[in-house]
Amino acid sequence: MRTVKDATYELLRKHGLTTIFGNPGSNELPFLAGMPKDFRYVLGLHEGAVAGMA
């Protein structure tokens, strides 16, 4: 069965997005666990910085 996480990564790929900017909290950790190798995660120390980077 396909998960929401799998569908999200598939949708991001379809739109050519392979870099994710973020400042993860406990809610985002399941999404980031086991992130596919073709994605890059850029950690920001504050939500405002992450929005500016994106």
Side-chain angles (χ1 to χ4, degrees), residues 27-48:
N27 291 333
E28 292 83 12
L29 293 179
F31 176 73
L32 298 174
M35 178 183 283
K37 300 255 186 239
D38 59 328
F39 281 87
R40 180 174 71 133
Y41 185 79
V42 179
L43 175 65
L45 298 178
H46 188 272
E47 292 86 357

Side-chain angles (χ1 to χ4, degrees), residues 3 10-11 14 28-29 34 37 41 53-54:
T3 64
E10 183 180 321
L11 180 67
K14 183 177 179 178
E28 292 83 12
L29 293 179
K37 300 255 186 239
Y41 185 79
M53 288 188 294

